[in-house]
Amino acid sequence: EVREKWKVVHFIVAIPSKGRLSSPCLQLVRSLGFDATGLDRSYLVEGSDKLTKLLLVRAKDIPKCVEQGIADLGITGQDLVEESGAKVKVCLRLPFGACRVVYATRKDSVSPVRRVATSFPNIAAKYILRNSLDAEVIVLNGAVEASVKSGLADAVIDLTSSGNTLKANDLVISDELLSSTAVIVCRNTLEKEKKEQIAAVLSAMENKWEIFLSPLSSLSKERKMKLLNRNKALSDKAKDLLNEVFESVRLDRDEAI
């Protein structure tokens, strides 16, 4: 039915090859039916439908890959989209990868901030300019939180989820620059057919899914019923069908969105 309505087009989707977003992204594409066999051996894998290819690249490079047309869609962090400055469209925020980009200083420090360590130099430069700070940006690729304790910097602009690593390094959050999650991004200049198909898929996905990081078999009966009855407008017949689909997925691979 879909093939009759739309011209068949091919998509390249970029996802993180490693890092904190890699595992949930792989779970996402597998749950959407993509056969991820071979992803551990190749950076470009064709799906069983022969219409979709997965491109594995660094999460920080995905916004530019999409902007330059190497990929049609990409899944990466909102923070990385902002840092890259890539001209891409954020199509949908995803329910994983939640974190914050924060400005943190030494606890009880009264000294002026002259050096700010970060792995987000573009975001940091904008923040320093916006707040009229007379500070130098120190670009680091890791262990940013430790830079203040080591004497390399007076403050940091870094990513945090729980804040525990900042506390462990005697840092306190002074300001929040950005609240981030994983996002789906696309090119601003997509062909009409691709744009229509992406819009339809995203419309179906938005606010109508949940991601399970544990097996479906671990769900309590109450949790399962709450999940299956999210849409109050479903008929009894539709609910019975939904339950059959749930049980089929549970028995087949025991995970779902």
Side-chain angles (χ1 to χ4, degrees), residues 125-165:
K126 292 177 183 178
Y127 180 80
I128 288 172
L129 181 63
R130 187 166 62 248
N131 290 275
S132 303
L133 298 176
D134 183 17
E136 174 190 2
V137 175
I138 307 295
V139 182
L140 300 176
N141 290 320
V144 173
E145 301 95 333
S147 62
V148 174
K149 186 175 284 188
S150 68
L152 183 61
D154 307 306
V156 301
I157 289 178
D158 199 23
L159 211 59
T160 185
S161 296
S162 65
N164 291 335
T165 306

Side-chain angles (χ1 to χ4, degrees), residues 138-211:
I138 307 295
V139 182
L140 300 176
N141 290 320
V144 173
E145 301 95 333
S147 62
V148 174
K149 186 175 284 188
S150 68
L152 183 61
D154 307 306
V156 301
I157 289 178
D158 199 23
L159 211 59
T160 185
S161 296
S162 65
N164 291 335
T165 306
L166 293 173
K167 291 178 183 177
N169 285 277
D170 299 324
L171 297 173
V172 292
I173 296 173
S174 300
D175 201 359
E176 181 176 315
L177 286 65
L178 175 69
S179 177
S180 176
T181 66
V183 293
I184 296 177
V185 296
C186 68
R187 286 190 287 123
N188 289 321
T189 56
L190 280 172
E191 297 84 350
K192 180 183 177 183
E193 291 83 2
K194 288 186 177 182
K195 190 178 293 185
E196 289 176 348
Q197 293 191 30
I198 289 172
V201 171
L202 294 177
S203 177
M205 290 168 67
E206 193 167 15
N207 298 322
K208 292 179 174 64
W209 63 355
E210 290 191 26
I211 289 183

